[in-house]
Each structure stands twice: as structure tokens, then as C-alpha cells.
Amino acid sequence: MSTVLDQRRATPAPLQRAADTGRSGLLAVLLADARLADRRLHVLNLVAAVLGLVVGGAVLLWNGADVLTAPALALLALCVAAPAVAKRRVGEALDRSTLTIALLSAVAAVAALLLPVWLYGADVNGIVHRSAITGPMLLLLSAFGASHGLRGVLGDGPSARDFATYPVLALPVVLAVAAYGFILARVVVSGVGSFDVSLLTTAWTQQLVETSGAAKFTYTVGLLNNILGTLELIALTSLFAILPGVGAGVFMSEYPGLMAKVIDLSTTMLRAVSVFVIGATAFGVVGATSGLAAGTPISDLVRGVYTDVNGLVHPGTGSFITASAFLALLVIPIIAKLTEEGLRSIPRDLREGSVALGTSDAYGLRRLLLPWAGLNIITGLLIGAAEASGSLAVIMFIAGPGQDGVAPTNSVTSLDYALFATQYGLKPYVDTMADYRFATALLLLLLTLGLTSVAVVVRRRVARRYRGSLTAG
Amino acid sequence: MRTDGLRVAYGSKEVLRGIDLPIAKGKVTALVGPSGCGKTTLLRTLNRLTDLTSTCSVSGIVTIDGEDCMAMDPVLLRRRVGMVFQKPNVFPMSIRENVLYGVKARGNGKTEYAEILESSLRKAVIWDEVKDRLDESALALSGGQQQRVCIARTLATSPEVVLMDEPGASLDPRSTQLLEESILAIRGDFTVVIVTHDIPQAHRVSDFLAFLYDGRVVEFGETRQLFAEPREHATKEYLEGGLVTVPPVGNVAAAAVPVSA
Ligand SMILES: Nc1ncnc2c1ncn2[C@@H]1O[C@H](COP(=O)(O)OP(=O)(O)O)[C@@H](O)[C@H]1O
Ligand SMILES: [Mg+2]
């Protein structure tokens, strides 16, 4: 026995076998013995997959890299298949996932070669369109290939298997994060580049100046009113939405019945209504008061007022109050749903505890249920505020440059309106503010970020106050 | 308080089949019996928590000081008949707010709050443990302490009757002992109805004892009497070993009677 072992040690088996089969070179050695071959071939597999990921990424960013797609796919197919082939040689069964990945990669390689001719033609445009398909295809297959390779390298235990799924899970996340990063970087870089502190302190206005007999418009450039306007919209919208939202939530959770069903249905439908429809409705409501002159309470409330360059006051195209009232329609269902969820999450024995102390439903609601759901309500409010501040579609029908300041009955304006106006060339705004487009976007971004940070802090505070030191429920 | 011919059903399933039970004022009445015999249901009927269960239907008479409980405003009834639950259910707020929760609902004068707080925590035998941390969350307390805060919370509203549903079921021996101290401390000032599976405990704390089996009161009487010489074989078996091998004869026959009877 021992002599046999010694002998084996003296001449490594794979080499021995390679010699037997008359082959030479690394591949021959690797293919000759599955046990040794396995590991190295799996490493090769992993390398090919990583290469595929790199090429895939490059293809998405730069069309020129597209020529590498087919070779990368072919290499992936080969390297994924190699360990399986080696295993097969020593009589082990082929595993299906290996074959699937290898075959798909091979097919994809052929497709990558044929796609431009067949689908788009072989010219430059064809390649541009094509890389949008081949890039993700290569990335996806490489992710599966990497997962496969990792599993081979790490062995086939359960934890190794878990770890090996990582590339497949991570790829879409990485792509999404990269997309966010790209947008964020563009806004920050261009925004900081075009930023000017005076934007924060100056409101946009136009003046009529007479120079040598001819009247001419001059403009003061700034975003002060837009910033204040956005903040005001958020504040007023929250104000308008909180009571109906909480009330609807209480109805849905606490008073089941016809009324609750109607509310549930209407809030659900409200969620489904396009923001453009809400905006168009706002426009219609504003239009309905168009016969009224400035100074009429209804007109001032709905249309707001607007001072022209000659200092004359006109009815505007929609006040902050109108805009917020319609934005609130978007926020109410969010608050309602979250309030309902919060109330439903209250343990039954706490409700019974309250009732058993001889307290009325109203008291329980005020002292126990609503504070418990407070976290949810505040979350709803903040999510709603973020949603409202991003729902330009509602106010773009009725907003204007807003050079009159931000009293609730003034014509509405906001940061996202400024973005919209410059992007779509609305005069005279675009002539004066186009250079500050990214600065505007950056401000909007910072504002949202600020809101979110406040949300986090408030949530912590409230959580500590109502849930005590134990995390109940 | 007393019940006469009390029947309670969940849907078509009758759970209490005619309960006649006197509850002596200022005394401790213990309810014992195997799981599912209807003890919790009986307690919940006494302060109309059964109103919260839509499938639950109640018939028969329940009175407090001769007044019909079923005809009262349930909120007012519950102010007179408080309840401590099986699992401690303190509210997610400070100890102080927990104890004053029911008190504040009645709009008593603010001046009395401090006094009520201390006296009810004392009666629940937890004052010394929490007097320096009244504004901390009640959730930070141990299970045993939480249960005693629940008792204090109920006592604070000065009900006439205190219902306790296996209040010691989830507690350690030391907490159970404090709980019993508390029950003995309030005896006389409050009428107590306690459900317990702990038979020695029932022996220790109660003046009267009712043995329930399958929705009926098999035997009721003074605790000492029932332990000394039970009339029914099933009662004797249950009090000695917590088990009933031969069901009480009267009830087997009664169980066969249709629900509508
Ligand atoms: N909400 C309910 N719906 C239907 N059946 C119930 C409900 N609550 C209790 N029951 C039933 O009523 C019977 C008595 O329950 P319960 O009063 O909790 O007994 P105990 O407290 O003595 O263990 C049991 O059979 C139980 O299944
Ligand atoms: Mg029970």
C-alpha cells in the first residue's frame, strides 16, 4: 500500500496522465485530471466573466468598445464550458446551469456578430443601437458566469453557493447606482459651475426702461422667489393635506363601513389619476374665474395677482393656494394609506387596554392610536412633500415667473417651474435664466436632500418618544 | 355584581351556557377551570369587552349594584369595572402617562394627579421600584413590573370591580408573589374577580371560588369550604391535580341540550 502511495507522490498524477495520453502543455495537464483542473479552470472562468463585465461596462459608455462584445462572449462560453468538459472526461455528470450559461453565451456571441446586419444594417447607427442591446446582454451573462466561476472556485458548500449568487444580485444594483451617480455628478458639477450666491438673494424681475425714446425690458436674474415658492408650496400642501389625509386613514381603519369603502376607493383612484389630469383641472378651475377682476376675493384666492412692468395689478394664472390645494390631492392618499397602516399595526391588546380603562373611542384615538401612528403619518407627510415638490406637472399649467413675491395669493412660482421654463424655452425666462439651469437643478436637489434629512431626524425623535426603549411592534 | 342565566356565544358556538354567579362586594372571587371552559369570556362579559367582538352574542342578566349592565353606556360601565389582562399591555408611553391614562380621560382635577399616581402605584406594590423613573417609558420595565403598572393603571381610575385574567400567567415567581401582595392589599377596597390556573394561588388570595367546566359553574362557594369538602367529584379532582378525568355528570347532560334551549 504505502509503496503505491509513494510512487504516486513521486510522479504527480495529472502529469502522469498527460504523459499517458501523449499531450503536453498546461491545458493538457488541466484537462487530464479533473480534480486539479477544476480549480484552475474555474479561476479561468471567473477571469473571463470579470473581463466580460468590464467589456460590458465599456460598451455601455463607449460605442467603440462594441467590437469586443462578440469575442468576450465567445471567451465566456469557452471558459464556462471548460470545467464541465473536464469533469465529463472523468465521468462526472454535466451540470445543467453550466451548459445553459455556456450555450447562451455562445448564441449571444453569434447574435452580437449578426445583429447589426440583420436588424440595423452594418453602419455606424447600427452599432450605436446595437450596443444598447449587446452591452446589457454581455453584462448579464458575465454576471451569471462570474457566479458560476465563484461557485467553482469556492467549492460547492451552501455558504459558497450563497456567496456565488452575489454577482447576479449586485449587477443590477451597481448599474442603477451608476446611473444615479452619473446624474448626480452631472447636476453637482454643472450646478456648482454655474452657481452664484446672488441667485439665492435676488428675485427674478423684469423692468421696462426707456432709453432714447425706445422702451426696453431689462431683467434682474435670481432664484429667491423660486426657492421660497417651492418651500411655500411644500408647507401649504402639507397643511391642506394633513387633516383630510389623517381623517381618511382613520375612517378606513377604525370605522369600517360604506363610508370607509368609498374613501378607500376614491383615494386609490386619486393615486391612479395622472398628475397631468390634476394640473389640467387646476387650469380649468383657474379659467372658470377668469371673468373676475383682480381684487375680487375669489379671483385673488384662485388666480392670485400679478403686477406687470407698468405696475398695474392683474389677476394671475393661479395662486399658491390653488397650486397647493391641487398638490394636496396627490398627498392625501399617501397620508391616508400610511395612517391606515399605522393604525392597523396597533396590537389588539393595547386597544383593548385603552377601552377597558373606560375611555371613549375619541380619547383612545387622540391619546393612543394617533400617537402610535404618528410615525407613519409624519412619514406620509414627508413622502408626500417630496412627491409634491417633484410634481411639476400639476403647477406648470398655472405657474409663472412670479416676480411679485410669494404671498399665498400671488401667482405661483417654484424651482421646478424655473427648470421647466428654461428647458422648454418659455420667454422671457429662458433668455435670462438658461445659464443657471444646472444651478437650479442643484438647488432643487439640495432642497429634497434637506427634506429627507429632516425626515430622518424627525422619525428618530418620534420613534424614541412613542415607542420607548423597546421596539414594540 | 352578579350574573343570572348568562349565555354567551361566538357565532353559533355557545361558550357560556347559563352562568349564575354572585360576586361579593369587596371580596376576591377566583374563577378556575380547564382551558377553554369560558373563564376569559365570562370576565369580558362583565365589563362588556365582548362588545368589541362582532360575532359575540350575549343573553341573560348582568347587574352591578342592581343596575343592568347591558343597558348602560359601556364606557361608563368600564369605568366601574376595570380589567387587567393576561399579557401585560402597557401603552408605549411613560409610566406616569400609563397610570394617568384612564384618569385623564375623566377630566379629574390636575391637582389630584400626583396623589393618584403615587397611591395606585403603591397599591400595585411597584412604587418603590419606579418612583425615580416615572417619566421613563413603561416598555423599559420587566414583564412583572409592567403587569403591576397595568394593575396600578386600572386602580388609578378607582373602579368598583377589578377583573384579572390570569395576571400571573407570564410572570416569574417573585413577580407573582408581589402580584398576590397587591391583590391582598386592595381586598376590601375593591371587588376582585381573578382567573387563575395556579390553584394554590387561588387558595391563597380568594374568598370565593367558582369552578367552571364547559361553560357552566360546576361549583361555587367559599374558597376554604370548596378546598375542604367539595361537593362534586370533578371539583375535587381539579383542585387536587388540575385535571378532570370524569366530567361532572350534571354538565354532560347539560352539554347535550341544544343551544336554543
Ligand atoms: N373571539 C372568539 N371567537 C370564537 N370563539 C372564541 C373566541 N374567543 C374564545 N372563543 C372560544 O370560546 C371558548 C372559551 O374561551 P375562553 O373564554 O378564552 O376560555 P378560557 O379563558 O377558560 O380558556 C373556547 O372554546 C374558545 O375557542
Ligand atoms: Mg383565558
Side-chain angles (χ1 to χ4, degrees):
Chain A
M1 273 292 249
S2 64
T3 42
V4 178
L5 278 178
D6 285 350
Q7 217 169 13
R8 283 229 166 166
R9 250 180 229 144
T11 321
L15 288 179
Q16 183 68 49
R17 281 218 222 141
D20 289 349
T21 52
R23 293 185 191 213
S24 60
L26 179 65
L27 195 64
V29 173
L30 291 177
L31 286 176
D33 186 291
R35 263 162 246 298
L36 181 64
D38 237 22
R39 198 166 193 89
R40 294 195 188 165
L41 285 177
H42 283 309
V43 172
L44 210 62
N45 171 353
L46 201 56
V47 171
V50 171
L51 207 67
L53 286 172
V54 172
V55 173
V59 169
L60 283 187
L61 293 175
W62 176 52
N63 293 319
D66 187 59
V67 288
L68 294 174
T69 318
L73 281 165
L75 183 70
L76 185 67
L78 278 179
C79 291
V80 169
V85 172
K87 271 189 191 170
R88 185 90 187 103
R89 281 180 64 93
V90 292
E92 277 181 47
L94 280 177
D95 109 67
R96 204 177 294 159
S97 69
T98 311
L99 277 186
T100 314
I101 298 170
L103 272 178
L104 280 178
S105 303
V107 170
V110 176
L113 281 178
L114 296 182
L115 213 55
V117 186
W118 175 61
L119 206 55
Y120 299 117
D123 61 357
V124 177
N125 276 335
I127 292 177
V128 172
H129 288 302
R130 191 161 70 105
S131 35
I133 297 177
T134 52
M137 193 163 75
L138 176 58
L139 281 174
L140 187 71
L141 284 167
S142 300
F144 276 104
S147 165
H148 186 262
L150 266 180
R151 214 164 96 190
V153 170
L154 297 172
D156 220 5
S159 323
R161 230 174 249 242
D162 286 348
F163 191 72
T165 53
Y166 189 74
V168 178
L169 287 179
L171 176 76
V173 179
V174 168
L175 283 181
V177 168
Y180 283 128
F182 180 73
I183 294 171
L184 212 68
R186 176 129 171 73
V187 170
V188 170
V189 170
S190 309
V192 168
S194 64
F195 188 77
D196 188 332
V197 181
S198 68
L199 287 176
L200 299 179
T201 53
T202 324
W204 187 94
T205 50
Q206 53 183 342
Q207 302 88 25
L208 200 56
V209 183
E210 299 244 3
T211 37
S212 55
K216 211 181 134 225
F217 281 111
T218 60
Y219 300 97
T220 311
V221 167
L223 287 170
L224 179 62
N225 281 351
N226 303 77
I227 295 168
L228 294 178
T230 300
L231 293 174
E232 179 171 353
L233 282 175
I234 290 173
L236 281 179
T237 302
S238 307
L239 197 70
F240 289 155
I242 183 100
L243 278 183
V246 170
V250 168
F251 253 106
M252 290 193 286
S253 153
E254 303 303 304
Y255 304 101
L258 188 65
M259 180 77 167
K261 282 209 186 91
V262 170
I263 290 172
D264 195 6
L265 196 70
S266 46
T267 48
T268 308
M269 283 190 337
L270 211 52
R271 284 298 286 147
V273 169
S274 156
V275 286
F276 282 92
V277 174
I278 294 179
T281 312
F283 182 69
V285 167
V286 170
T289 59
S290 62
L292 302 170
T296 329
I298 288 272
S299 170
D300 283 3
L301 212 64
V302 176
R303 307 189 70 187
V305 288
Y306 162 70
T307 317
D308 70 11
V309 281
N310 299 312
L312 296 175
V313 178
H314 304 284
T317 50
S319 66
F320 277 104
I321 291 176
T322 309
S324 305
F326 279 92
L327 282 171
L329 291 181
L330 291 176
V331 181
I332 288 169
I334 301 174
I335 298 180
K337 211 70 217 162
L338 276 158
T339 304
E340 184 197 3
E341 268 172 29
L343 292 175
R344 283 191 195 281
S345 74
I346 298 172
R348 199 189 142 89
D349 56 347
L350 287 195
R351 286 171 177 275
E352 290 190 341
S354 173
V355 171
L357 285 166
T359 62
S360 62
D361 287 351
Y363 183 82
L365 195 66
R366 190 155 45 85
R367 288 290 316 278
L368 180 67
L369 305 197
L370 286 181
W372 177 285
L375 194 60
N376 269 36
I377 295 172
I378 288 168
T379 309
L381 199 61
L382 291 165
I383 293 176
E387 167 121 1
S389 66
S391 293
L392 170 67
V394 175
I395 62 160
M396 76 183 196
F397 288 87
I398 58 175
Q403 59 170 328
D404 280 357
V406 290
T409 53
N410 271 137
S411 267
V412 64
T413 192
S414 71
L415 278 173
D416 48 4
Y417 176 75
L419 264 182
F420 169 73
T422 45
Q423 190 68 38
Y424 287 91
L426 302 190
K427 280 178 179 289
Y429 215 69
V430 63
D431 303 330
T432 55
M433 291 301 294
D435 292 346
Y436 302 109
R437 216 165 58 210
F438 276 100
T440 312
L442 181 64
L443 283 175
L444 194 56
L445 187 85
L446 289 177
L447 192 86
T448 323
L449 218 64
L451 256 185
T452 320
S453 318
V454 171
V456 170
V457 172
V458 169
R459 278 190 74 134
R460 288 230 184 99
R461 282 268 164 86
V462 175
R464 226 178 297 144
R465 178 155 161 224
Y466 288 118
R467 302 282 162 101
S469 57
L470 272 187
T471 43
Chain B
M1 254 193 133
R2 61 177 298 122
T3 73
D4 286 293
L6 179 66
R7 289 173 175 273
V8 179
Y10 294 106
S12 60
K13 181 182 168 199
E14 202 175 35
V15 172
L16 297 183
R17 307 152 184 273
I19 303 273
D20 307 316
L21 188 70
I23 296 163
K25 210 176 179 106
K27 303 287 186 199
V28 179
T29 303
L31 304 178
V32 299
S35 286
C37 71
K39 304 180 296 295
T40 297
T41 304
L42 176 54
L43 276 198
R44 290 170 67 91
T45 312
L46 294 180
N47 72 344
R48 285 180 61 184
L49 274 188
T50 41
D51 288 9
L52 303 185
T53 312
S54 56
T55 54
C56 187
S57 55
V58 179
S59 67
I61 299 168
V62 183
T63 55
I64 179 164
D65 294 334
E67 293 173 60
D68 182 1
C69 293
M70 296 304 159
M72 272 183 211
D73 180 335
V75 173
L76 295 181
L77 172 67
R78 290 175 199 133
R79 290 184 181 182
R80 296 171 67 179
V81 186
M83 179 148 181
V84 176
F85 295 78
Q86 184 166 346
K87 255 179 39 202
N89 57 349
V90 292
F91 302 135
M93 42 185 90
S94 69
I95 295 168
R96 182 196 306 277
E97 288 305 313
N98 261 281
V99 176
L100 294 178
Y101 185 92
V103 180
K104 286 184 176 175
R106 279 168 228 202
N108 291 30
K110 268 189 187 160
T111 45
E112 299 164 32
Y113 288 172
E115 193 188 314
I116 292 175
L117 183 70
E118 178 169 348
S119 70
S120 41
L121 284 168
R122 276 192 194 283
K123 281 182 224 158
V125 200
I126 188 164
W127 171 252
D128 291 333
E129 286 162 71
V130 300
K131 64 171 187 272
D132 298 322
R133 46 193 294 203
L134 291 171
D135 290 310
E136 284 175 34
S137 170
L139 288 167
L141 299 172
S142 74
Q145 291 172 323
Q146 286 188 17
Q147 188 63 301
R148 277 175 283 140
V149 167
C150 288
I151 293 175
R153 186 172 76 180
T154 303
L155 298 182
T157 63
S158 46
E160 294 158 41
V161 183
V162 179
L163 310 172
M164 297 186 176
D165 190 0
E166 299 183 43
S170 56
L171 305 186
D172 58 286
R174 171 70 186 143
S175 296
T176 309
Q177 192 191 339
L178 290 168
L179 187 93
E180 286 180 22
E181 271 180 38
S182 170
I183 294 171
L184 293 173
I186 63 173
R187 174 157 65 176
D189 297 333
F190 299 85
T191 306
V192 177
V193 184
I194 178 172
V195 169
T196 178
H197 277 294
D198 182 345
I199 292 158
Q201 180 178 68
H203 200 170
R204 285 193 297 270
V205 301
S206 71
D207 304 297
F208 293 94
L209 186 72
F211 172 53
L212 271 73
Y213 191 89
D214 199 18
R216 287 177 180 276
V217 178
V218 173
E219 201 165 341
F220 171 78
E222 276 192 57
T223 304
R224 226 172 303 157
Q225 172 106 29
L226 242 68
F227 272 94
E229 37 185 321
R231 288 186 302 275
E232 292 280 341
H233 175 70
T235 311
K236 182 173 154 62
E237 253 191 333
Y238 187 78
L239 293 182
E240 280 171 2
L243 270 178
V244 178
T245 54
V246 185
V249 178
N251 279 287
V252 173
V257 175
V259 172
S260 57

